[in-house]
Amino acid sequence: MAQADPQTHENEWRASRNLPPLTRMDLVGIAVAVVGTAVLVLLAVTSLDHDRTNPYSAVTIARVLIATGALLINMAHVVGIFFFESVDYHGPFQRFLARMSTFGTLGAIVVSLAIGLV
């Protein structure tokens, strides 16, 4: 069975020997996924808090669905990033997951904010 190279490549950071080395793009993707998901959940909660007369309004339901979908997608992306780095894979799918986690979460925040303005 092939083993991954334990040495870090240039532009990679390793928190400990138990974690795979992560590139800057991986770290940004993970940070945006965590913070962006928290922002989406807060937007859904504040939407629910502002709709006292109708807690099941279309805006609240849409924001809850967007936050739930982003949470599930970001969890899969972060796990995928760690899996790819653990086997030292640096191909197009690894970059796709890091970028999708970054730009998809930011797009979901923009959509959630736009829905709230309607």
Side-chain angles (χ1 to χ4, degrees), residues 57-96:
S57 68
V59 173
T60 302
I61 292 172
R63 281 185 167 177
V64 168
L65 289 175
I66 289 170
T68 304
L71 174 69
L72 293 173
I73 290 169
N74 283 332
M75 284 186 347
H77 286 173
V78 170
V79 169
I81 288 170
F82 276 105
F83 279 163
F84 285 145
E85 287 295 332
S86 68
V87 295
D88 204 23
Y89 173 74
H90 296 283
F93 293 111
Q94 183 262 348
R95 289 188 299 275
F96 171 74

Side-chain angles (χ1 to χ4, degrees), residues 10-91:
E10 73 177 64
N11 299 328
E12 288 186 337
W13 174 76
R14 177 175 270 186
S16 74
R17 290 180 47 100
N18 296 327
L19 293 174
L22 298 171
T23 63
R24 186 177 310 149
M25 186 171 49
D26 296 334
L27 293 172
V28 169
I30 291 169
V32 169
V34 169
V35 173
T37 303
V39 168
L40 286 168
V41 169
L42 286 173
L43 284 172
V45 168
T46 57
S47 178
L48 183 64
D49 190 38
H50 286 290
D51 290 340
R52 296 271 186 209
T53 58
N54 184 13
Y56 299 111
S57 68
V59 173
T60 302
I61 292 172
R63 281 185 167 177
V64 168
L65 289 175
I66 289 170
T68 304
L71 174 69
L72 293 173
I73 290 169
N74 283 332
M75 284 186 347
H77 286 173
V78 170
V79 169
I81 288 170
F82 276 105
F83 279 163
F84 285 145
E85 287 295 332
S86 68
V87 295
D88 204 23
Y89 173 74
H90 296 283

